[in-house]
Amino acid sequence: MSDPLNPWLSRPTTPPPTEAALIAAVPDTFGPVAPQRGIPAPDRVDQLPIYDRNTTAALWWVGAHGGAGESILAALMPGSQAAGHSWPRTASATPARTVLVARSDARGLRAAQAAMRQWAAGLVPSVEVLGLVVMADAPGRLPRSLRDLMQVVSGGVPRTWSVPWVDAWRVGEPPALASSPREAQRLVDELTAILGAAGTSN
């Protein structure tokens, strides 16, 4: 019987993980990645304004409505900025990379849907929409009607992420990625991978 600790016997070795393996994979897209012909634009009153921005950012968070949570997400991801409730238009020759943000209640989801239709109709050529983040509007599981609406809305963007309710954010504690839910950490990791992949392809 051979000695399992015999140094003269070869053993299978596991190579250390490469740097690439430690980086989150770029998530697949499940919806349209560019505007499409024939999409009707929302009523003008439901469209987000387009504002010129004098600053640059790796990523812009666009709140589809008031209280969406874009400022929280900007605090979690260095290099990103909250665009408020408007589409950014920068001096860059390439479209600004953006992520829509909305709450998971009916008002928030419908506002996100209107913003997506505005983009899909080709009315916002200054941006590239990477996806939608749905921020929980309350603790617990979504009612069936909102889950169904969220599924419909999610079909209009390349990707959708969900971030659960965080009591600390509600009472005004500064957002920190280290103490955030794993869904928020995954969001930042995947967006970092998307931006990195886009950078290497340019």
Side-chain angles (χ1 to χ4, degrees), residues 107-154:
R107 170 179 169 265
L109 293 173
R110 291 192 182 105
Q113 191 172 40
M116 289 184 300
R117 284 176 53 204
Q118 182 183 2
W119 163 73
L123 301 182
V124 200
S126 61
V127 305
E128 175 188 357
V129 174
L130 302 181
L132 166 70
V133 177
V134 179
M135 305 282 284
D137 69 305
R141 185 175 171 84
L142 281 178
R144 176 67 179 272
S145 60
L146 291 179
R147 293 200 307 270
D148 291 346
L149 178 58
M150 181 175 166
Q151 185 173 9
V152 171
V153 172
S154 296

Side-chain angles (χ1 to χ4, degrees), residues 61-75 81-85 101 135:
W61 305 97
V62 177
H65 56 88
E70 69 276 5
S71 296
I72 290 174
L73 296 176
Q81 290 191 38
H85 315 123
V101 186
M135 305 282 284

Side-chain angles (χ1 to χ4, degrees), residues 19 49 51 54 62 89 93 123 154 171 176 188 201:
E19 182 179 354
Y51 288 153
N54 296 324
V62 177
R89 182 169 52 205
L123 301 182
S154 296
V171 298
V188 171
S201 63

